[in-house]
Amino acid sequence: MKNIKITLSLLLLIGFSSCDDFLSEVPDNRTQIDTPEKISELLVTAYPNASYFALAEAMSDNVFDSELKQAANVNNDNSYNWEMQNQIGTDTENGFWIGSYEAIAAANQALDAIEKLGSPTSLNPQKGEALIARAYSHFMLVSLWANRYNPATAGSDLGVPYITKPETALLVQYKRNTVKEVFDFVEQDIIEGLKYVTNDYKEPKFHFNRDAARALACRFYLIKGDWDKVLEFSEGLGSKPTKIRSYLAFNAVPFSQMSLEYSKAEQETNLLIAYPNSIANRAGAYRFALAGNKSDEILGNQTNMWGKPNLIKAQGQYYSGVLVVVPKLYEHFKVTNLTSGIGEPYTATVLLSNDELYLNRIEALVMKNRMAEANIELGYFLGTRTSGYNAATDLFNESLVQAKYPVISNEFTPFYTLSPLQASYIKALAEARRKDFLREGLRWFDIKRFNLVVTHNTLEFGKVIRKNVLEKDDKRRALQIPLRASDNGIEKNPR
């Protein structure tokens, strides 16, 4: 179905330099999406065949300069210094932009085909999946290429083009919707899609099943600051859920199998899994990564609420421990030419999980000042990540949180107001999320929404030769529009 993913409406948006091959094909020879089976097949491609993990991680404070020049990578260097990537291909800004709009094109084509078939109720599951998939890709695009969501400025902040129709005109001039418009469209698609989305798939974890769709809604409303909606869409998980990741069980798996274990569909916490074209697993290919001599700043005992060892551990996998990883990204290399040994890498990525959903729920409880419930749930969650945790003696309360995470003036500055107590809890939650999703890019979105300052040092023989600081409201927090798209009329972000 690859040949129908890109319609003419997206040629300018994604910046293809030539469309002669597509235009020269007789329309009647193009694949027609005219049966339920073809629509379902098309929807397999409504998920980006690209990953944002590597680029988002490199922009965050999870990475450091390892000084491994043999692991130099221009895209990794650009992301670390918040500079525009000019490269195309795997794990690039351009790649994720194109992959997302290709996925959107597939979703729109499916919705159009459903409408042309008369929108029968039998196709409601496909309609629901297409709407949620379209919302997801646009949401990720606006989260990367626009300023953070702030209702005071969202009406004028540049968002991304929100595409809802598989247009067939070639010379379509795309205009960037505002952040508010994008968020409004995302919300409409989520609400409408949730009416129809189902669990009726052979492999439900590779589709927007009901739980994955609710988790996306929960993430969306967290960014929007709608705490009641976050709590609504996280109902049913329970105050002490068993459907979150067990790191005791994970650590018992042989190292060589850990990445496969992390992302497999049988893990109850995993709600949506994808296999995009990506080499994000190859941490040894990046100079700016989780350096072994810095990993304790994130995972050391002193970062644990009770001063005990964390069950989430980084292991020295590259260059005798100079670079370390939490082994969670499983790469499947699909050989396309056995003789020459060439092929395409696909990396298992967990896009949505109960772990994230649970932390989002706790954050909403904090913001609603339901501290008694937040204490039970956050204490439970952190206990599942602590070696030697004893619920009878490792108590969790407001005094402990405030002592561990004292308020620092002007540190966490979301668009809404935090009380001193909330600020301490939000920092505790942000650090918990940081540990749990190392290598998965989610830390970058916390940095954006909380407006955290990040300092990236470039070293030479251990000495700082360049200090790059991402200040609050720095324009570089919004990625620059890819060159191919801006050359075709998509307005650039200010710099």
Side-chain angles (χ1 to χ4, degrees), residues 145-159:
W145 274 276
N147 291 336
R148 63 172 180 157
Y149 178 80
N150 182 338
T153 61
S156 57
D157 285 339
L158 289 169

Side-chain angles (χ1 to χ4, degrees), residues 196-232:
Y196 311 117
V197 75
T198 181
N199 289 332
D200 189 19
Y201 300 104
K202 291 182 181 179
E203 297 288 347
K205 296 291 183 76
F206 294 91
H207 298 267
F208 263 113
N209 56 74
R210 289 173 184 162
D211 289 339
R214 289 172 65 87
L216 174 62
C218 200
R219 182 192 288 184
F220 170 77
Y221 285 113
L222 185 84
I223 300 298
K224 202 172 181 183
D226 190 334
W227 318 121
D228 290 330
K229 286 291 187 182
V230 174
L231 294 175
E232 174 188 338

Side-chain angles (χ1 to χ4, degrees), residues 18 34 65 67 74 98 169 206 239 241 285 291 300 337 341 350 355 362 491:
S18 172
D34 52 10
D65 186 0
E67 292 194 72
V74 65
I98 290 176
F206 294 91
S239 61
N337 188 311
V350 178
D355 301 274
I362 298 169
E491 185 178 355

Side-chain angles (χ1 to χ4, degrees), residues 210-349:
R210 289 173 184 162
D211 289 339
R214 289 172 65 87
L216 174 62
C218 200
R219 182 192 288 184
F220 170 77
Y221 285 113
L222 185 84
I223 300 298
K224 202 172 181 183
D226 190 334
W227 318 121
D228 290 330
K229 286 291 187 182
V230 174
L231 294 175
E232 174 188 338
F233 287 110
S234 61
E235 283 181 3
L237 194 57
S239 61
K240 294 184 178 181
T242 57
K243 294 182 178 181
I244 60 174
R245 196 173 306 280
S246 168
Y247 274 92
L248 280 171
F250 180 68
N251 290 339
V253 175
F255 180 84
S256 61
Q257 296 298 311
M258 280 183 165
S259 59
L260 182 60
E261 181 74 16
Y262 187 89
S263 58
K264 70 180 185 180
E266 290 76 12
Q267 288 285 351
E268 287 188 295
T269 187
N270 296 339
L271 302 179
L272 181 64
I273 306 165
Y275 264 87
N277 186 213
S278 170
I279 57 169
N281 178 57
R282 303 179 192 180
Y286 302 121
R287 170 178 173 172
F288 303 106
L290 184 57
N293 63 344
K294 293 288 188 178
S295 61
D296 276 356
E297 292 184 15
I298 303 174
L299 298 173
N301 291 11
Q302 78 282 359
T303 69
N304 182 270
M305 188 62 74
W306 300 280
K308 293 185 174 184
N310 291 300
L311 286 172
I312 301 175
K313 301 175 182 178
Q315 304 194 38
Q317 189 178 12
Y318 299 97
Y319 304 104
S320 302
V322 175
L323 290 176
V324 296
V325 297
V326 178
K328 57 173 62 172
L329 302 178
Y330 173 73
E331 181 183 313
H332 169 68
F333 190 80
K334 183 179 180 180
V335 176
T336 56
N337 188 311
L338 190 61
T339 303
S340 58
I342 60 174
E344 291 288 340
Y346 297 91
T347 296
T349 56

Side-chain angles (χ1 to χ4, degrees), residues 153-175:
T153 61
S156 57
D157 285 339
L158 289 169
V160 295
Y162 204 99
I163 313 301
T164 60
K165 297 290 183 181
E167 300 167 5
T168 56
L170 175 59
L171 298 177
V172 176
Q173 291 298 314
Y174 284 95
K175 173 172 116 26

Side-chain angles (χ1 to χ4, degrees), residues 135 139 142-143 149 179-180 182-188 190-191 213-226 229-230 233 352 356 360:
F139 181 53
V142 78
S143 296
Y149 178 80
V179 170
K180 181 183 185 304
V182 174
F183 268 67
D184 287 347
F185 284 133
V186 168
E187 186 169 22
Q188 289 173 20
I190 288 176
I191 291 172
R214 289 172 65 87
L216 174 62
C218 200
R219 182 192 288 184
F220 170 77
Y221 285 113
L222 185 84
I223 300 298
K224 202 172 181 183
D226 190 334
K229 286 291 187 182
V230 174
F233 287 110
L352 292 162
E356 182 197 351
N360 292 347

Side-chain angles (χ1 to χ4, degrees), residues 17 38 67 90 112 117 223 267 281 290 292 328 368 429:
S17 58
K38 289 180 181 179
E67 292 194 72
T90 305
D112 182 70
L117 289 174
I223 300 298
Q267 288 285 351
N281 178 57
L290 184 57
K328 57 173 62 172
K368 294 290 289 183
L429 282 160

